[in-house]
Amino acid sequence: MKCQRCDKRATFHITELTGANGHKEIHLCEVCISSYLHDPASNKATSGTIQNVGPQAFKMAQTAEELAELDQKCCPVCGMAFYEFRQAGRLGCPHDYVCFERELEPLLGSIHGKTRHTGKTPRLGRVTTEAQTQLIRLRREMHEAVQCEDYERAGRLRDQIRRLEEQC
Amino acid sequence: MLQQLAGRCGPWLVGDGPESDIVVSTRIRLARNLAQFPFVRRCSPQDRAAIEKTIRDRFQNVEQLRQLIYIDVDELSDVDRQFLMERQLISRELAEGTGQRGVAIDPDERFSVMVNEEDHLRIQVMASGLNPQVAWEQINAIDDLIGQQVVYAFHRRLGYLTACPTNVGTGMRVSIMIHLPAMVMTEEIQRVFRSFQKMGLAVRGLYGEGTQPRGDFYQISNQITLGRSEKELIDQVVEVARVCIQWERRAREALLRSNDKSVQDAISRAYAILQTTHTISSEETMELLSRVRMGVSLGLIEDVPITVLNKLFIHTQPAHLQKIRGIRLDTSDRNVERASYLKEHLAKQR
Ligand SMILES: [Zn+2]
Ligand SMILES: [Zn+2]
């Protein structure tokens, strides 16, 4: 099912009661839900098509050029470009939270109100290591090398991956 | 395995939990990802297979996880996928997704772990009635067990990292499924909706075959996952649920007290139709079962326990009917089969 405000997949299904036994189904994606919940005025206009609200959620991008530039920014680990996130509403890898930190901050603030985790932490205090993050990058590079039929490079990467995997 | 599940029902449906005349179940899920893989949407087929293998291998190291039944969802037929979804053991997203993915199910159906859904792991615990404490203790323990076997993607400031920024932090969603037929009848439900929106909570109806909410079931869950502890998030949802319970009780009492006999009439008609009909859709079944369920809570119907009704809500859904009968059925055959199934099970009670 598609989001009623843009073309993304709707993951939020809200049943709003409209009075005398009437109810209205609202289907929104992850990005549109936050503007729906935080902007009461926009709640009136959920039917019909409204343009992609992506850019509005990133208020820091002031001009079209700035937004275009931001859109091209890529994660060095998984290779995801920022526009892909704006389109799909999903991040590519854990490192995106680090490399797009500044860009995600206003979005996290508008979704959650706060931007600091205060809940539980992993047992045994096991946190992500640099080696694990690099494994994501190396596996992607190996995959690309295989697709380009550069088997020599793919073989070197595979050995590197094996060594790192043993450390993790 | 699925065939065995078909005739039974999970303990969360038994209906012996606190407030179970109004609250059907409490569900908590945790979204978790492995640190050394990209999020699922960006995984290559090899990555997905490696994630699944890692999880299955590591589960073998722990006694409580070794006994889980692992189901390769990609290999299942459409009916079997829908069956697991109706059973609430997997999400719609996992059922309708593509690529290597699966679910590890506790033989007693108290919890399940979805693999390669939107996140690498979606751990889910179900409890009967309003039972957040038990559900949290259980899921927290399972999360710790898994967390000792794999390294989760965790960020010092942002907490557990998830594919979607709406889940980051605790990665936790607590959902309370609540039955509000009297509030729907008295139209008081609008009050609930207004207060939910102010509190940033999501409410959705439980879907039948179509997309309209059926049977007056609503799900209250938290929207926020970051910046509050698990306990704070659970407490907030529970607080709202308690207000709903109070309002629903009041609405039921008011309906009973009124001189107007239309409520009693609607309930006994619903019961009569379910016992005598020759063909019935799943939508209508849910609507009528909902009324009967309220009738039982109000003491107007005494010969059928709420457990049986809870079970019928699940067992009369399309994939369940087909699994129980052991044959594929088209919509009109299903409607006939559903009517006879209802008749059988409601008659048994007399
Ligand atoms: Zn949208
Ligand atoms: Zn990335």
Side-chain angles (χ1 to χ4, degrees):
Chain A
M1 191 176 293
K2 272 189 179 175
C3 170
Q4 287 169 331
R5 293 188 184 182
C6 69
D7 274 347
K8 273 167 247 155
R9 192 189 150 103
T11 43
F12 288 87
H13 309 281
I14 296 175
T15 315
E16 194 175 309
L17 277 290
T18 51
N21 287 329
H23 36 230
K24 191 169 68 176
E25 289 288 311
I26 300 167
H27 306 280
L28 296 171
C29 71
E30 318 277 3
V31 177
C32 296
I33 187 74
S34 71
S35 67
Y36 171 81
L37 288 170
H38 290 89
D39 177 13
S42 74
N43 295 356
K44 305 287 175 286
T46 39
S47 55
T49 50
I50 295 167
Q51 279 304 298
N52 191 328
V53 294
Q56 283 143 264
F58 305 98
K59 291 206 177 74
M60 38 127 15
Q62 296 293 332
T63 65
E65 294 90 77
E66 277 168 341
L67 187 65
E69 204 185 300
L70 168 59
D71 271 352
Q72 295 311 312
K73 196 173 159 184
C74 282
C75 166
V77 173
C78 72
M80 187 195 71
F82 197 68
Y83 77 87
E84 292 176 82
F85 165 64
R86 283 212 302 112
Q87 255 165 19
R90 301 288 187 284
L91 292 162
C93 80
H95 188 69
D96 296 358
Y97 283 99
V98 178
C99 71
F100 296 122
E101 188 178 6
R102 220 166 53 93
E103 291 78 9
L104 288 173
E105 182 98 22
L107 178 67
L108 292 175
S110 84
I111 297 170
H112 301 284
K114 295 176 184 173
T115 55
R116 181 172 289 278
H117 176 59
T118 56
K120 77 177 277 192
T121 52
R123 192 83 185 277
L124 308 176
R126 292 168 77 160
V127 292
T128 313
T129 61
E130 178 62 21
Q132 286 161 333
T133 305
Q134 287 317 311
L135 270 173
I136 299 176
R137 180 178 62 81
L138 292 170
R139 288 203 200 94
R140 173 173 65 97
E141 286 177 5
M142 184 177 80
H143 193 66
E144 284 164 5
V146 169
Q147 282 183 328
C148 300
E149 299 184 12
D150 185 348
Y151 297 113
E152 205 177 309
R153 183 171 144 76
R156 276 199 310 274
L157 286 162
R158 192 197 51 210
D159 294 341
Q160 238 178 312
I161 290 167
R162 290 217 173 126
R163 277 197 302 276
L164 271 182
E165 276 176 341
E166 274 160 30
Q167 291 172 33
C168 293
Chain B
M1 160 65 193
L2 296 187
Q3 205 54 50
Q4 275 174 11
L5 282 182
R8 295 193 280 137
C9 79
W12 60 274
L13 259 181
V14 168
D16 57 357
E19 320 283 3
S20 55
D21 56 329
I22 293 173
V23 179
V24 179
S25 63
T26 303
R27 180 171 55 161
I28 301 182
R29 76 112 165 96
L30 295 175
R32 296 288 185 258
N33 287 279
L34 308 190
Q36 52 161 300
F37 290 97
F39 293 135
V40 176
R41 271 180 66 106
R42 222 179 159 77
C43 278
S44 65
Q46 290 89 334
D47 287 335
R48 288 177 84 121
I51 291 164
E52 194 183 50
K53 186 176 183 314
T54 306
I55 300 295
R56 296 189 67 172
D57 288 350
R58 301 295 165 87
F59 275 18
Q60 290 305 311
N61 299 339
V62 186
E63 204 201 315
Q64 293 99 308
L65 301 174
R66 199 183 302 138
Q67 57 175 358
L68 301 184
I69 297 148
Y70 193 86
I71 297 172
D72 180 340
V73 172
D74 199 35
E75 265 186 357
L76 293 182
S77 67
D78 289 348
V79 176
D80 286 347
R81 279 180 208 154
Q82 202 191 334
F83 171 81
L84 290 173
M85 194 173 87
E86 289 172 1
R87 198 67 164 214
Q88 307 204 24
L89 289 169
I90 67 172
S91 63
R92 182 178 291 270
E93 180 144 1
L94 194 80
E96 293 175 357
T98 52
Q100 196 58 50
R101 62 199 191 286
V103 62
I105 298 171
D106 166 46
D108 289 331
E109 288 183 72
R110 282 170 212 282
F111 69 98
S112 67
V113 183
M114 287 187 273
V115 179
N116 288 338
E117 204 238 31
E118 179 182 304
D119 294 294
H120 298 154
L121 294 171
R122 287 277 175 103
I123 311 164
Q124 167 186 280
V125 162
M126 301 279 280
S128 170
L130 185 64
N131 222 340
Q133 202 54 44
V134 167
W136 169 249
E137 278 163 18
Q138 201 180 359
I139 202 164
N140 191 30
I142 298 164
D143 181 44
D144 284 344
L145 285 176
I146 300 174
Q148 288 169 44
Q149 293 298 318
V150 298
V151 179
Y152 287 144
F154 183 84
H155 184 282
R156 224 174 294 264
R157 184 169 60 84
L158 296 173
Y160 294 92
L161 301 179
T162 52
C164 185
T166 54
N167 294 321
V168 78
T170 57
M172 186 184 76
R173 192 85 62 210
V174 47
S175 305
I176 294 175
M177 203 210 287
I178 187 164
H179 189 218
L180 304 173
M183 289 182 71
V184 172
M185 278 189 185
T186 57
E187 290 169 26
E188 270 178 88
I189 197 126
Q190 292 161 63
R191 250 163 67 193
V192 178
F193 275 85
R194 255 176 266 132
S195 52
F196 282 153
Q197 282 181 351
K198 278 188 215 126
M199 300 174 80
L201 296 171
V203 183
R204 31 166 268 188
L206 185 73
Y207 294 125
E209 238 168 315
T211 52
Q212 289 295 312
R214 297 288 167 176
D216 312 319
F217 289 101
Y218 292 87
Q219 199 166 282
I220 306 169
S221 51
N222 60 305
Q223 282 296 114
I224 291 167
T225 55
L226 178 64
R228 284 178 215 175
S229 71
E230 289 83 358
K231 188 180 178 315
E232 288 170 315
L233 292 170
I234 292 169
D235 286 349
Q236 196 203 8
V237 174
V238 169
E239 200 185 302
V240 175
R242 287 204 187 284
V243 172
C244 288
I245 293 168
Q246 237 176 43
W247 284 347
E248 173 67 17
R249 289 236 164 87
R250 216 174 294 155
R252 288 181 185 188
E253 280 160 25
L255 284 175
L256 266 187
R257 270 199 315 271
S258 78
N259 290 325
D260 179 9
K261 289 282 165 225
S262 61
V263 175
Q264 280 88 335
D265 186 59
I267 290 170
S268 48
R269 275 171 192 269
Y271 197 29
I273 292 172
L274 289 171
Q275 288 172 305
T276 55
T277 184
H278 292 281
T279 172
I280 188 165
S281 69
S282 73
E283 279 83 2
E284 193 184 357
T285 303
M286 283 188 89
E287 266 165 37
L288 299 179
L289 280 173
S290 169
R291 281 181 210 156
V292 173
R293 194 180 191 280
M294 177 166 72
V296 172
S297 303
L298 292 175
L300 297 172
I301 295 176
E302 288 174 336
D303 53 3
V304 50
I306 229 151
T307 321
V308 170
L309 295 174
N310 283 352
K311 225 193 276 187
L312 285 175
F313 274 107
I314 303 284
H315 287 184
T316 56
Q317 288 182 51
H320 267 77
L321 265 186
Q322 296 178 70
K323 291 303 280 186
I324 291 166
R325 295 303 198 214
I327 37 168
R328 266 185 183 265
L329 300 164
D330 65 19
T331 311
S332 67
D333 289 343
R334 279 205 300 271
N335 293 347
V336 171
E337 208 53 60
R338 183 175 294 116
S340 87
Y341 189 81
L342 284 164
K343 217 177 289 176
E344 253 168 60
H345 286 80
L346 290 172
K348 251 185 220 164
Q349 306 307 319
R350 328 212 102 206

